[in-house]
Amino acid sequence: MNAPTFPDLTRRGFLAGTGALVVSFTIPVQAQEAAPSAQTPATPAPAKKLPGSLADTPSLDAWIRLDADGSITVFTGKAELGQGTRTSLRQIAAEELEVEPAAIKLITADTALTPNEGYTAGSQTIQNSGTAIRYASAQVRQILVAKASEKLGVPADQLKAASGRIAGPDGKSVGYGELVVADLLHVDASADTALKSPDSYHAIGKPFARVDIPAKVTGGEAYVQDMRLPGMVHARVVRPPSYLAKLVSVDEAAIKTMPGVVAVIRDGDFLAVVARQEFQAVQAMRAMAAKAKWQVQPALPDQDNIPAFLERSVAEVGTVTSVGAETAAGAKTLQAQFTRAYQMHGSIGPSAAVALSDKGLITVWTHTQGVYPDRKAIAEMLGVGPEKVRCIHTEGSGCYGHNGADDAAADAALIAQALPGTPVRVQWMRDQEHLWEPYGPGMLTRASATLDAGGKIVNWHYDLWSNSHGTRPGTAGSLIAGRLVAKHFPPDPAKLQISPLGNGDRNAIPLYDVPNQRVNWHFVADMPVRVSSLRGLGAYCNVFSIESFMDELALTAGADPVEYRLRHMKDPRARKVIEVAAQEFGWSNDPMPEGRGRGFAFAKYKNHAAYLAVALEAEVDRDSGAIAISHVVSAVDCGEAVAPDSIINQTEGGILQSLSWTLFEAVHFDDTRILSADWSAYPILRFSAVPDSVEVHVVDNPGTPYLGVAEAAQGPTAGAIANAFRHAAGKRIYDLPYTRERVKAVLGV
């Protein structure tokens, strides 16, 4: 990938091209109204909250650029992580600007050019950035129509925009580019901007080929791993053998004389080698690793007793929700305990980054989820101001949360700072990705519920034990390189944070109607291994726990699992996806062959994003302990469906990934170091274990707000697998993952 190097390019410079319409900050509309007289003071009405990311970045020029030749550029602070947003965001902008998606040039997360939208995480790209782009595009169209009205002498309500032109009833028209003049109009976004009606859509909800796919399926230049810049050198890092290991000595002189070696970088416990050719760097890395001597000490707990570790490590307890009475009388109370192992992102392509230090500016091409936070952390580590670092998102072959991307970016920036004027490419090795990426935290949950005589839930208590699921970059201490350099930046202390978005407590509050609820987060400040955001955060384990427990409650109440959920559900959209999934699956209580079972689960992701229900069929082989999932049906409602094919793809991918987590994945370690260094020590889903069929039914709601969808399938899939196993085997497994060994142990084989 011959990426352009624009080390001194700024947004101001980009937008200052001749003949471009850029719509930017001006006096808010309410301030332009005639001021009340001194005799009649009035209290102004509070301004409406701007939708989506416009609330933080209201200037329209942060989102839209029009050039004199009619070309359109749209900016987003979100990154393409394989979810197809480079296509769907084009569809959204094209819809309101009345052009075809192919006419839109989209620039994604770049600290020199795009809005600061934080992290691309939590399935919020379409919900926040898509909403901002849509409203901005609609307002720009209205601005153009107003200008065309002046130019053509035709009332605005008689004009129609189409294909980049605005035409009147007499056939006269003017192109968007012809309306571009200097200082045309500078405005903030308006919360009252009218959007198009769903019955007039030409782009939203329609099938369009994803723009990122061709290079990926043809071996083209698709990822940061593919980048090759003129004069670029290759770097490899040497990691310590364990988290707390300290470098005692290394023979740098012997490494410097190896073929192709350009430099050896040593800063505290940070070690790297740079060479002309990539394999030369690999050979030098291996030689340096063999010569390095480390002081190693045990620091990890007993992996077989993580629940006890979590319970004794609680720093504080936070109340997630407290509704109704503390207790309620009933006919029967049930309790259950569930656990989740540490799990990794397992990116197929180990992390990589490219950095260039030139003329006082360090440019980093990285597949981070947050270019602005990563810039801040890297700048602190390098001892420079944030304005001296530019981070450009470049898609990587693997993500699903906070993996090694930010750390690879820090490695590259640190090495590039020592080699000014030379592009440096850092590529991690497979074992480095497995051993050093931040994992999804292990969790312990306990559920207790009381049923009345009719089987209705009258009281619900739920407790979870977990660390923070978000230790993303923001400070240098969040980066491996920052912790290893001689200056040594310690990691930020983990803090208990309970919010509507959720963290370890994400989806800990069931959406079901229960009059009395208590949910508590027993917060563990320090985890024994490095942890951070893995797709879904706490929702995966919490939904698995809640949905497993709901089936046990239904069994106790003598009720069908689907009917039991509907009995406790008032939300009509939740009921709809439950009913659609059950109907399309052919849900029934008919007997099944021995060893086969059906399972069902539901959740509304974060309780304010996509509704998703899953029904599936599983077969349990008692002799081998293998669980085979044969047929999966899902129904999903993510509001207005911008790109139905992408929604289906994301949901299918989420189902398969959750299936892999649930049946196979767990990080292993001893008292000193991580042991899951490769795919043999960390097995994942193979093609042979993929279900025979996976159906996804999109429940569209045109005209309603966008809801994030990418992570919605993780928890319900795990719950449905757990319930199908319970139905097939007559026993329940309470601990993730459902490995063959665990299955056989539960079945007494």
Side-chain angles (χ1 to χ4, degrees), residues 512 551 554 559-568 578-579 581-583 587-589 599-601 614-615:
Y512 300 109
D551 257 39
D560 172 80
V562 173
E563 184 278 325
Y564 195 71
R565 285 169 171 79
L566 291 172
R567 187 190 305 181
H568 290 86
I578 291 173
E579 291 165 349
Q583 178 181 336
W587 185 268
S588 74
N589 288 312
F600 195 93
V614 175

Side-chain angles (χ1 to χ4, degrees), residues 573-593:
R573 292 173 69 173
R575 293 180 63 89
K576 179 71 172 179
V577 297
I578 291 173
E579 291 165 349
V580 169
Q583 178 181 336
E584 295 296 334
F585 179 80
W587 185 268
S588 74
N589 288 312
D590 295 342
M592 298 193 74

Side-chain angles (χ1 to χ4, degrees), residues 218-238:
T218 60
E221 297 172 342
Y223 300 114
V224 67
Q225 285 89 347
D226 302 320
M227 284 187 67
R228 299 294 186 272
L229 301 183
M232 187 177 77
V233 294
H234 297 267
R236 287 293 192 277
V237 295
V238 174

Side-chain angles (χ1 to χ4, degrees), residues 4 6 9-15 61-67 71-80 85-87 89-90 93 101 103-117 120 125 129 133 211 365 371-372 390-395:
F6 303 130
L9 177 63
T10 63
R11 180 174 178 82
R12 180 179 298 276
F14 180 83
L15 295 175
D61 71 341
W63 307 95
I64 308 290
R65 169 187 165 93
L66 298 176
D67 285 302
S71 60
I72 303 171
T73 303
V74 172
F75 302 90
T76 174
K78 298 296 186 180
E80 171 66 79
T85 54
R86 282 173 54 198
T87 303
L89 291 176
R90 280 179 167 89
I104 302 292
K105 177 182 179 182
L106 184 72
I107 294 180
T108 60
D110 180 337
T111 56
L113 299 175
T114 64
N116 182 356
E117 293 192 81
T120 303
T125 293
S129 195
I133 287 171
V211 298
W365 290 267
V371 289
Y372 281 92
R390 178 187 181 189
C391 286
I392 303 171
H393 181 267
T394 308
E395 194 173 355

Side-chain angles (χ1 to χ4, degrees), residues 202 227 314 356 444:
H202 73 279
M227 284 187 67
V314 173
L356 171 64
L444 165 67

